[in-house]
């Protein structure tokens, strides 16, 4: 069963969830290893010892978090969260955040959504 995203999901919070999952996996936490086995396609049939010995990366943890929320991948989850933010947030704040985090893909999407902001950037 999938977790539900909050009404106003925060990508930074989701990133922190993935980092926390990775840290707890590295301590061989049984619950964290179970989450990996339940949600990561490469480890769904693996024994707990195999998951414990695996060299898991942040992208593995992000995939697990995304799947726990019902998304096929981290990029799909990220795209969904960003689309919710662009629907409700101040465009200038979104541009500032994209610039600050060096997120060129989101910045391009914002320019498509808010073409009037391009003039402000040029100023």
């Amino acid at each position: 069963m999938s977790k539900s995203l909050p009404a106003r999901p925060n990508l930074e919070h989701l990133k922190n969830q993935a980092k926390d999952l990775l840290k707890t996996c590295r301590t061989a936490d049984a619950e964290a290893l179970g989450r990996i086995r339940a949600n990561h396609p490469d480890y769904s049939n693996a024994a707990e010892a195999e998951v414990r010995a695996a060299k898991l990366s942040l992208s593995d943890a992000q995939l697990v978090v995304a799947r726990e929320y019902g998304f096929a991948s981290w990029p799909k989850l990220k795209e969904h969260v960003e689309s919710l933010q662009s629907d409700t947030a101040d465009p200038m704040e979104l541009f500032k955040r994209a610039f600050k985090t060096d997120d060129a893909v989101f910045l391009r999407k914002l320019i498509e959504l808010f073409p009037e902001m391009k003039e402000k950037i040029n100023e």
Side-chain angles (χ1 to χ4, degrees), residues 2-120:
S2 299
K3 294 181 185 179
S4 295
L5 282 173
R8 297 181 67 200
N10 180 301
L11 192 58
E12 205 57 41
H13 180 71
L14 293 167
K15 287 178 185 178
N16 288 335
Q17 285 182 26
K19 289 176 185 176
D20 290 344
L21 174 60
L22 185 59
K23 285 178 190 174
T24 55
C25 282
R26 290 183 176 158
T27 65
D29 178 77
E31 181 183 341
L33 296 174
R35 289 173 61 193
I36 297 290
R37 291 176 65 204
N39 295 289
H40 197 298
D42 292 347
Y43 299 101
S44 60
N45 295 318
E48 186 175 321
E50 186 179 345
V51 179
R52 191 178 305 120
K55 301 285 187 215
L56 298 170
S57 66
L58 180 58
S59 63
D60 290 315
Q62 288 173 329
L63 173 60
V64 169
V65 169
R67 287 180 167 237
E68 287 177 332
Y69 284 108
F71 293 87
S73 66
W74 179 260
K76 298 269 187 207
L77 172 60
K78 182 180 177 200
E79 180 181 327
H80 177 74
V81 170
E82 289 173 346
S83 73
L84 292 175
Q85 290 173 339
S86 63
D87 290 346
T88 60
D90 173 38
M92 185 56 77
E93 290 304 313
L94 292 172
F95 273 90
K96 287 177 185 177
R97 187 179 318 141
F99 184 77
K100 181 181 174 187
T101 60
D102 199 25
D103 192 341
V105 173
F106 188 44
L107 189 58
R108 279 192 289 277
K109 182 178 178 184
L110 289 171
I111 290 171
E112 288 174 15
L113 290 171
F114 306 103
E116 68 277 7
M117 297 300 285
K118 189 172 184 179
E119 291 177 22
K120 291 188 181 204

